[in-house]
Amino acid sequence: MERLDRLARSGASTGSISSPGWRRGSVTPRVTTFPCPGCQHDVDLGERGMSMLFRNFTLESIVERYRQAARAAVAIMCNMCKPPQQEATKSCMDCKASYCNECFKFHHPWGTPKAQHEYVGPTMNFRPKVLMCPEHEMEKVNMYCEVCRRPVCHLCKLGGSHANHKVTSMSSAYKILKEKLSKSIHYLISKEDQVRTQISHLEVLINETEENGKVAECGAYDHFERLFQTLQERKSEMLNSIEQSRTRRLEQLRGQVEEYQGMLENSGLVGYAQEVLKETDQSCFVQTAKQLHTRIAKSTESLRTFHPAADPSFDEFVLETSREETLLKELCFGGVPEPPIIDLSRSRVYNEGLLCWQLAEDTLATDHQVLEYRRLGAEQDEEGASRWRLTDRVYGPSTVVCDLEADSLYSFRVRSCRNSLYSPYSPEVTFHTPPAPAFGFLFNDNCGFSSERLALSKRRDSVESMAGMAFLLAAERVQTGSYMGLDYIIGDTGISQGRHYWAFHVEPHSYLVKVGVASDSKLLEWIHNPRDTSSPRYDHDSGHDSGSEDTCYDLSQPFTLLTVGMGKMFLPKASISAGGDHGDHSNRVLPMPQRIGVCLDYDAGRVYFYDADTMRCLYERQLDCSGTMYPAFGLMGSGKVHLEEFITAKRLSYM
């Protein structure tokens, strides 16, 4: 009840929220946000604030029904009676007041406009008869915008923010939405037993979670207790060893001190020797002096080669525990890590492959990842499956796989490792390698490049044609049946042998783009003899159903250009592509692939066009490769071509 009341007050409020520091009349537009009471996400209300929001009358009615049920014992009093007030029997929705029978008759006499007012039972909820547009306050909402999913008025549709949106009548929207809501409610009601079963299952899981949490807690406590016990034992052993070593060394050093003190005058050995020298009996002196001399000689020798009897340092007991401390600090308790997901939008596979992946958003840090790949249909293990090959440990979100075979199907998977625990494998993804090694080039900005009609990026990896002044100047010629010529641009590297493959992306909004290959002799003709009024019939594979290309096209022409534009790819009638009769116009128009690949076999004199994502051959043709062949592109009207990154890099390097 309280939650419904809060929602109703939030939805019914018509005041405007002002951002801090905003003043009326300020030239700085205010930016207001309001937390949605339903989903708790901030909503940008714009400059008009909450006045742009609809009142939620349905929610207000629900709240009012609960209020009336809560205060059923409390009567609603008449707003017009003089004390003592009488209990109200009616409420006027136009006057927004409650009346007893007498007051209602007095204020709504027969034969007056007030007699036509709408009245209901006693209520405190007075809402307008109709919903008004918050943007056009005097207009009623009578339509429903299917794009914005909100009621709108006819002014919103005619010239407002919903002018280009699809709208439907309010009655139709009411019928459709009510039917959908009813079906959803009936579905939920029909699934009541299933919901109860799932609730019971969730309660069992809650109990299991509590029990397993306690078990895990006890297990962790035991593990750390064992660690503490082991550390305590090692601590006691080390302290005992230090104490024993210290006692032994002190005894040795103190004995050496006593020995050296005996060498001092009037004490010990020196004093004894002085007394022996006083002996006058020769035989007695010789008997004692021999042993005494040996002792004195030994002491003299020790003076010459003095060495302490023990080392005072305890370096052998100094512990280096930085590695153990690091291991303890990096110790994670997240269990088995979640498997990564290979990102298909950023991964590219050619004769070398760049594989990128993403980790789960809430996952803990991993130590490394391992990528595995195999060529489908290659050497097989005992179980009949292709053998997986592993890369070295990868410490980032991507890696490069080298030396992939051409025109082959490869499968890839990756898994993470944390604390020697490996995650499950990611779902396998499959890539088809091109039929030839990648050919690297950039757009050539010198050979015939028209800077007036073509815009080349700084890196020379994309080119754009703009339908502007050139079309305006050719307006008169267009009326006479002539057309603007194509603006050609080629690659800065030519091909004179071998098989090569490159890929590119044509923007879907492009009007007309020619893509393919051309020889240096044909390029000179295009560049030095431009046809400003060339008809689409001039180019034999122009993509227009002119009929001339069937009668005068030669299969060994020194160029092949395929027509792409307006989200379509058009195959010429002279196509000898496998599968399908392209003489039929409907079969010659294909959806434009997101990425287009071109393979030129110079030695065989053949060119192929592919859907670069699926490596499906769309079109192939014989070609006269008598000179140097260049990747060629022709643009007319608005259009844009992007080269793939591995093409623009001149070599396959992703690091």
Side-chain angles (χ1 to χ4, degrees):
M1 174 64 186
E2 293 179 357
R3 177 174 175 81
L4 290 173
D5 196 7
R6 289 197 301 270
L7 290 175
R9 289 198 300 268
S10 300
S13 174
T14 57
S16 177
I17 298 178
S18 299
S19 58
W22 183 82
R23 300 189 306 273
R24 185 178 297 276
S26 173
V27 295
T28 304
R30 57 181 174 181
V31 179
T32 58
T33 58
F34 178 75
C36 175
C39 64
Q40 300 302 320
H41 285 79
D42 288 341
V43 180
D44 187 2
L45 301 180
E47 295 187 7
R48 293 189 58 186
M50 292 186 66
S51 61
M52 284 297 294
L53 300 179
F54 286 106
R55 290 179 60 183
N56 196 333
F57 294 122
T58 303
L59 189 56
E60 288 182 22
S61 300
I62 297 174
V63 172
E64 181 60 25
R65 286 200 295 269
Y66 277 92
R67 282 177 175 172
Q68 290 179 357
R71 59 172 181 253
V74 180
I76 298 177
M77 307 308 293
C78 177
N79 298 131
M80 302 299 171
C81 284
K82 296 182 180 179
Q85 288 180 315
Q86 300 295 320
E87 184 177 345
T89 59
K90 298 179 181 66
S91 293
C92 179
M93 301 304 293
D94 294 277
C95 300
K96 295 181 175 55
S98 298
Y99 303 88
C100 64
N101 285 332
E102 296 299 327
C103 291
F104 185 80
K105 293 177 182 179
F106 179 78
H107 289 89
H108 297 78
W110 290 104
T112 63
K114 284 191 175 183
Q116 304 300 322
H117 285 190
E118 178 186 1
Y119 63 91
V120 296
T123 182
M124 297 294 294
N125 182 32
F126 300 101
R127 69 177 187 181
K129 294 181 179 180
V130 293
L131 192 63
M132 307 301 290
C133 178
E135 187 172 352
H136 307 96
E137 299 177 356
M138 302 303 294
E139 298 295 331
K140 302 176 183 178
V141 293
N142 52 8
M143 291 179 287
Y144 181 79
C145 178
E146 296 184 358
V147 178
C148 302
R149 298 181 181 180
R150 59 174 294 175
V152 296
C153 68
H154 70 284
L155 292 181
C156 294
K157 173 59 179 173
L158 291 177
S161 56
H162 306 269
N164 297 321
H165 293 182
K166 183 179 180 181
V167 299
T168 185
S169 64
M170 190 62 69
S171 59
S172 176
Y174 169 81
K175 182 179 178 181
I176 294 174
L177 293 176
K178 189 170 185 178
E179 183 179 355
K180 288 183 179 179
L181 184 59
S182 299
K183 288 183 179 179
S184 300
I185 294 174
H186 289 317
Y187 177 80
L188 290 177
I189 294 175
S190 65
K191 297 296 182 180
E192 182 176 355
D193 293 338
Q194 180 180 348
V195 173
R196 293 185 184 278
T197 302
Q198 292 177 352
I199 290 175
S200 301
H201 180 62
L202 290 174
E203 290 176 348
V204 172
L205 293 180
I206 290 174
N207 295 331
E208 291 181 357
T209 302
E210 291 180 351
E211 294 177 0
N212 294 338
K214 292 179 180 178
V215 172
E217 194 175 74
C218 294
Y221 179 81
D222 293 339
H223 280 295
F224 278 99
E225 282 298 320
R226 286 197 294 270
L227 285 176
F228 295 152
Q229 183 178 357
T230 302
L231 288 174
Q232 191 65 36
E233 291 175 357
R234 300 298 296 166
K235 175 184 175 182
S236 300
E237 291 178 5
M238 187 170 186
L239 292 179
N240 290 334
S241 299
I242 293 175
E243 181 63 26
Q244 293 175 4
S245 178
R246 181 177 61 182
T247 301
R248 184 178 66 255
R249 295 182 188 189
L250 289 176
E251 290 177 354
Q252 293 173 350
L253 291 173
R254 286 169 181 164
Q256 193 175 18
V257 169
E258 292 178 357
E259 181 181 351
Y260 276 81
Q261 285 180 345
M263 299 180 189
L264 299 178
E265 188 178 0
N266 300 324
S267 63
L269 183 60
V270 175
Y272 176 61
Q274 290 176 345
E275 293 297 329
V276 170
L277 289 174
K278 296 178 181 179
E279 178 63 46
T280 57
D281 188 331
Q282 294 181 354
S283 59
C284 291
F285 177 81
V286 171
Q287 180 185 9
T288 305
K290 180 60 178 176
Q291 295 179 353
L292 182 59
H293 181 267
T294 302
R295 290 178 60 189
I296 292 176
K298 185 177 180 181
S299 299
T300 304
E301 183 66 24
S302 65
L303 288 174
R304 295 193 188 99
T305 58
F306 173 75
H307 292 288
D311 187 359
S313 67
F314 284 75
D315 292 340
E316 65 270 26
F317 294 100
V318 176
L319 294 179
E320 174 55 42
T321 60
S322 59
R323 185 173 65 88
E324 288 76 9
E325 290 177 2
T326 302
L327 290 176
L328 288 175
K329 291 178 180 179
E330 294 180 352
L331 188 60
C332 297
F333 307 99
V336 178
E338 293 291 328
I341 302 297
I342 295 179
D343 189 349
L344 296 177
S345 63
R346 296 190 297 129
S347 299
R348 293 287 184 268
V349 174
Y350 310 101
N351 51 305
E352 294 186 2
L354 170 66
L355 277 300
C356 305
W357 53 81
Q358 295 178 344
L359 300 176
E361 294 182 357
D362 56 348
T363 187
L364 299 173
T366 58
D367 298 334
H368 62 271
Q369 284 79 37
V370 176
L371 178 73
E372 299 183 6
Y373 64 99
R374 62 178 178 177
R375 186 169 71 89
L376 301 182
E379 65 277 4
Q380 299 179 345
D381 54 20
E382 297 178 356
E383 299 180 356
S386 302
R387 295 179 180 176
W388 290 96
R389 287 183 282 178
L390 280 68
T391 62
D392 295 332
R393 293 182 176 181
V394 181
Y395 298 95
S398 64
T399 188
V400 175
V401 180
C402 301
D403 300 328
L404 300 179
E405 296 187 21
D407 199 14
S408 300
L409 202 61
Y410 280 87
S411 185
F412 298 86
R413 65 185 184 183
V414 64
R415 60 176 177 170
S416 299
C417 178
R418 184 196 304 125
N419 297 332
S420 301
L421 295 177
Y422 282 92
S423 72
Y425 286 105
S426 66
E428 294 184 24
V429 297
T430 303
F431 289 95
H432 198 296
T433 57
F439 177 64
F441 67 91
L442 297 173
F443 285 119
N444 194 330
D445 57 354
N446 294 321
C447 183
F449 173 69
S450 174
S451 58
E452 297 179 356
R453 295 185 294 271
L454 296 180
L456 194 61
S457 64
K458 292 183 179 180
R459 295 177 55 187
R460 294 193 289 131
D461 59 349
S462 66
V463 62
E464 181 175 10
S465 173
M466 295 163 288
M469 185 61 66
F471 270 143
L472 293 178
L473 296 177
E476 294 181 357
R477 292 192 296 273
V478 170
Q479 290 179 346
T480 62
S482 299
Y483 296 82
M484 290 290 297
L486 290 168
D487 293 310
Y488 289 100
I489 188 169
I490 63 174
D492 62 354
T493 306
I495 300 173
S496 57
Q497 63 179 357
R499 287 168 57 90
H500 304 274
Y501 174 86
W502 61 93
F504 49 88
H505 165 67
V506 178
E507 288 290 342
H509 69 266
S510 300
Y511 173 66
L512 192 150
V513 178
K514 297 274 195 173
V515 296
V517 292
S519 67
D520 48 2
S521 59
K522 187 64 178 179
L523 292 172
L524 291 175
E525 177 185 346
W526 286 342
I527 294 170
H528 296 293
N529 299 298
R531 285 173 167 81
D532 187 49
T533 59
S534 62
S535 168
R537 295 175 179 267
Y538 175 76
D539 287 332
H540 302 300
D541 60 345
S542 62
H544 295 269
D545 195 12
S546 61
S548 63
E549 54 196 61
D550 293 326
T551 58
C552 60
Y553 181 77
D554 184 2
L555 289 178
S556 60
Q557 286 286 340
F559 69 95
T560 293
L561 298 175
L562 208 62
T563 304
V564 179
M566 295 177 287
K568 304 292 182 181
M569 172 180 283
F570 197 89
L571 303 181
K573 285 186 178 181
S575 169
I576 55 174
S577 176
D581 181 12
H582 294 292
D584 184 5
H585 177 82
S586 60
N587 292 335
R588 297 166 61 192
V589 179
L590 303 177
M592 183 175 68
Q594 292 186 355
R595 297 165 54 238
I596 301 174
V598 179
C599 178
L600 174 63
D601 190 338
Y602 187 93
D603 300 330
R606 205 166 190 81
V607 63
Y608 306 83
F609 293 84
Y610 291 89
D611 181 339
D613 289 323
T614 62
M615 290 310 302
R616 180 172 67 95
C617 184
L618 304 175
Y619 173 68
E620 62 179 283
R621 172 172 286 175
Q622 195 72 27
L623 190 66
D624 179 14
C625 296
S626 57
T628 302
M629 309 300 294
Y630 290 85
F633 303 84
L635 298 92
M636 184 171 73
S638 177
K640 192 170 185 179
V641 179
H642 300 269
L643 296 179
E644 287 280 312
E645 289 186 5
F646 79 103
I647 298 297
T648 61
K650 291 282 189 176
R651 58 185 177 86
L652 281 177
S653 176
Y654 302 95
M655 305 304 292

